[in-house]
Amino acid sequence: MTVSGACQLIVSTIAFLFAAVSAKSWALSPTSAKLVVTLVLYSLGNLIMLRLVRDFGMASAFSLSAVIQLIAVNVIALTVFGERLSTVQTAGIVLAILAVGLITLGPTGK
């Protein structure tokens, strides 16, 4: 991955994280404005992802984005919103991170 690609991945991740926080805010007290902001942020993140898919391939771009978002969104959910996970949910997240990591590393592990 290039420096430009890494920067794009960071920006898309930030857009998705703000979108997730906005979605949670909308879920707690729904308004049309929060819904519009959420949709705009998710759209921005996906537009950036389109560029990453073109430059680095679908499997690599989406897998890497998914694992970064999985970790970051859960950190926000646990620390900011005080959500709690059961043991089974925690195990599922750990397994998902491992699975996506293996998918991402798969092409280089040949």
Side-chain angles (χ1 to χ4, degrees):
M1 175 157 296
T2 64
V3 172
S4 172
C7 289
Q8 290 173 44
L9 183 62
I10 290 167
V11 171
S12 72
T13 300
I14 290 169
F16 285 128
L17 292 178
F18 277 110
V21 170
S22 180
K24 178 67 175 186
S25 176
W26 176 86
L28 295 174
S29 61
T31 66
S32 296
K34 289 179 184 178
L35 180 60
V36 169
V37 168
T38 301
L39 291 172
V40 167
L41 288 168
Y42 275 122
S43 296
L44 174 64
N46 279 309
L47 287 171
I48 297 167
M49 285 304 299
L50 289 174
R51 171 80 187 243
L52 290 169
V53 168
R54 187 184 69 203
D55 292 347
F56 301 106
M58 188 170 84
S60 294
F62 281 114
S63 296
L64 193 54
S65 176
V67 76
I68 292 168
Q69 287 181 56
L70 178 66
I71 294 167
V73 166
N74 277 287
V75 167
I76 290 171
L78 297 171
T79 59
V80 174
F81 294 106
E83 295 183 7
R84 299 288 173 241
L85 298 174
S86 69
T87 304
V88 172
Q89 290 172 314
T90 302
I93 290 170
V94 169
L95 290 173
I97 292 167
L98 289 173
V100 174
L102 289 173
I103 292 167
T104 303
L105 296 175
T108 60
K110 290 181 181 180

